[in-house]
Amino acid sequence: MSRPTPLNVAVVGAGLGGLSAAIALRRQGHLVKVFEASVVKKEIGAGIGIPPNAMRVLDAFGYDQKNLKSCEYRGVVEYSAAGGEGRPHVFKDQATNYGFQGCLCLRTAFHEELKRLALSEKGAGSPVELFLGMEVVDCDPEVGILTTKTGEKFEADIVIAADGIRSVLRTIVLGGPVVAPPIGACAFRWLADTSKFNGRPELDWVMKDGVSGGRFVRGPNGHKIFLYPCNDAKYVNATMIHTDKRDQDKHGWHTRATRDEVLEEYKDLAPPFKALIELIEEPVNLWQMRAVPILATWTKGRLALLGDAAHATFPTLGQGAAMAVEDAAALGCMLPLGTTPEEVPSRLAAYQDVRKARGEFVNKESVEQGTMPSKAGLFMRSEEMQDFLNGYDAIGVSQEHLNKTFGKSRIS
């Protein structure tokens, strides 16, 4: 009996979603090439939460926990900007209830571990080929031909657009540009060196007091601060969300700010919270908060959107990267070794069927909980929503959908 022929896969974008897709498809036995516009692809040096639903997929990928240098994420303590005692929100035991424990780490550590899994000679399938400095500007979705900015062409059986919130290939899928609109919110993002907390009891609220995990400070006029430890607790990641008074379309989506600007914006905070801001080492990243609108479709022919290209949203639920990892897991299930090039469009349609509603739920809820005062902090309070998101088995659900849609006899 002849061995099944692997598909030639092109992934556009070498971020967290693109590498996750590359790993999932490599593990199915396909030949994967990843095209990245940057000459040196590195994630922004900020923190990220990896919830149990994403940890389940990483476990299937064969990741090594110690490489993440992660910290525990067992709950959140909520504070008023005026000061006073914090209100704890302790999560149910995630390992017991969901099978996996969520964690907090640096994006760079997460990205490096995914890159290792994709490129290593060890592991299932052939190592992924990574092409840096290859900016893809066009795609023929019917035949799977990519065109780079320099005019080079590459042909693939399947193309995965993991090219982020400003996706170029999304235009191909939708037949026109879809831009994430300005919403009028932005966030300062920075890392605090925890060695500077020594001898500063006014900063005990950040890491020593209360449950291991996050700290949420609710301020006036929609100001919100979310903090958590990462990199073996050597750093605390800070995200400070507030109304953007600028005309967002006249400014870059990612710019720099100063410590004085942060202090001025958050001048109404109580002393313990200001004490943390005073530890800022410039520059501070200032990010516009934007979300991709709900899209009519994620697929066209042999081309499919994944991650932020499909559903970029606010970090409110801590599920943005997890949705990209789940997307990747679903793609791997829908495209087992033995899938023919002719079957790719129908398999991508099945991928959309199993992923679109969930991605859109996180998109919608993240924006609403980040912009509507009545819904602020809802995820922390809602055990039902935590169960729905954290307890999800992307591989199990996708495999069941594949079996139901195409029949077990046709799956290798």
Side-chain angles (χ1 to χ4, degrees), residues 59-74:
D59 183 70
F61 285 172
Y63 89 112
D64 190 333
Q65 176 75 40
K66 72 176 186 297
N67 291 339
L68 298 180
K69 299 181 180 179
S70 61
C71 297
E72 290 186 336
Y73 190 23
R74 298 191 178 277

Side-chain angles (χ1 to χ4, degrees), residues 168-229:
V168 171
L169 297 188
R170 185 169 61 226
T171 301
I172 307 296
V173 173
L174 276 298
V178 177
V179 178
I183 298 178
C186 63
F188 295 121
R189 297 176 66 183
W190 48 280
L191 293 171
D193 183 344
T194 57
S195 67
K196 296 183 178 180
F197 293 6
N198 296 332
R200 301 284 300 274
E202 70 272 25
L203 294 174
D204 284 354
W205 65 275
V206 181
M207 294 188 57
K208 292 185 178 180
D209 297 342
V211 64
S212 299
R215 302 292 181 263
F216 179 66
V217 182
R218 188 196 302 272
N221 304 315
H223 285 59
K224 294 179 281 290
I225 304 174
F226 190 64
L227 313 168
Y228 55 81

